[in-house]
C-alpha cells in the first residue's frame, strides 16, 4: 500500500523573531558593559605599572652612591618608562615623586626609604577628566654597602 504524501505544513513566519528581538534588546546593554570592563582593565593595568615602576625607582635610588645620583637615577627610570609608554600609545602623563627617609639619612646602611609616585592619567570618557594614579614602595638600604 502506498502512503499518501502530505503537503508541507505552512511555516510560521515568527520563527526567527526571537533571535532578532534578543539581538536588538541585548546589544544596547552589552556595549556599555563592555566599555565599563575595558575602562576597569585600563585602570588595573595602569595601577600595576605604577606599582612596578615605584619599586624599580626605589631600587635605583637606594643603590646610588649619593642623593643627587639617586634622584638622577629615579628620573632616568621614569623618563625611560615614559618613552616606552608614549611609543605604545600610552597616557603621556608627567610623573612626580616624593622620597622620605623617616628622619634618617637616606643612604646610610640599614635606613628605610619610601617613595611615593604620582601620575595623572586620562580616562576614556573625556580627555579633560583626569585621574591621579598613586603608588608607594618602601625598602631598606643594603646594610653591607660600602
Amino acid at each position: 500500500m502506498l502512503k499518501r504524501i502530505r503537503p508541507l505544513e505552512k511555516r510560521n513566519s515568527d520563527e526567527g523573531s526571537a533571535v532578532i528581538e534578543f539581538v536588538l534588546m541585548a546589544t544596547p546593554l552589552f556595549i556599555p558593559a563592555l566599555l565599563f570592563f575595558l575602562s576597569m582593565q585600563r585602570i588595573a593595568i595602569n595601577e600595576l605599572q605604577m606599582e612596578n615602576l615605584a619599586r624599580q625607582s626605589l631600587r635605583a635610588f637606594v643603590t646610588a652612591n649619593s642623593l643627587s645620583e639617586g634622584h638622577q637615577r629615579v628620573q632616568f627610570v621614569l623618563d625611560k618608562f615614559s618613552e616606552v609608554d608614549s611609543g605604545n600609545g600610552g597616557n603621556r602623563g608627567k610623573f612626580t615623586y616624593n622620597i622620605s627617609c623617616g628622619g634618617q639619612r637616606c643612604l646610610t646602611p640599614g635606613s628605610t626609604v619610601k617613595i611615593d609616585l604620582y601620575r595623572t592619567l586620562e580616562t576614556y570618557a573625556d580627555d579633560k577628566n583626569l585621574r591621579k594614579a598613586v603608588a608607594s614602595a618602601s625598602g631598606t638600604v643594603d646594610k653591607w654597602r660600602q
Side-chain angles (χ1 to χ4, degrees):
M1 182 185 273
L2 293 173
K3 286 189 172 181
R4 188 171 175 185
I5 300 174
R6 294 185 192 176
L8 293 174
E9 294 180 14
K10 204 175 197 182
R11 289 187 158 237
N12 189 355
S13 63
D14 292 338
E15 273 185 22
S17 66
V19 173
I20 293 171
E21 286 178 17
F22 175 75
V23 169
L24 290 176
M25 296 294 282
T27 301
L29 298 175
F30 286 142
I31 291 174
L34 179 65
L35 292 175
F36 172 76
F37 289 123
L38 287 174
S39 178
M40 290 294 109
Q41 177 198 20
R42 184 177 182 192
I43 289 170
I45 288 170
N46 284 327
E47 294 289 332
L48 289 172
Q49 286 177 340
M50 286 288 292
E51 289 176 14
N52 185 32
L53 193 57
R55 283 192 306 271
Q56 298 302 324
S57 299
L58 176 72
R59 187 68 189 145
F61 183 81
V62 298
T63 57
N65 293 325
S66 67
L67 290 176
S68 62
E69 181 186 350
H71 286 286
Q72 287 173 352
R73 285 180 168 195
V74 169
Q75 197 59 49
F76 179 79
V77 169
L78 297 177
D79 290 343
K80 284 298 176 185
F81 178 81
S82 294
E83 281 180 30
V84 171
D85 194 36
S86 65
N88 293 334
N91 292 315
R92 297 176 185 94
K94 182 134 177 79
F95 289 102
T96 56
Y97 66 92
N98 182 28
I99 294 179
S100 59
C101 302
Q104 303 169 348
R105 295 190 59 193
C106 281
L107 296 179
T108 56
S111 65
T112 302
V113 180
K114 180 181 178 190
I115 187 169
D116 297 315
L117 189 60
Y118 307 97
R119 188 179 196 191
T120 54
L121 304 169
E122 297 174 359
T123 60
Y124 273 135
D126 188 8
D127 290 341
K128 295 176 185 173
N129 187 9
L130 298 177
R131 183 179 172 280
K132 192 151 202 157
V134 180
S136 296
S138 60
T140 57
V141 178
D142 187 14
K143 291 182 181 181
W144 304 108
R145 75 182 282 169
Q146 294 180 13

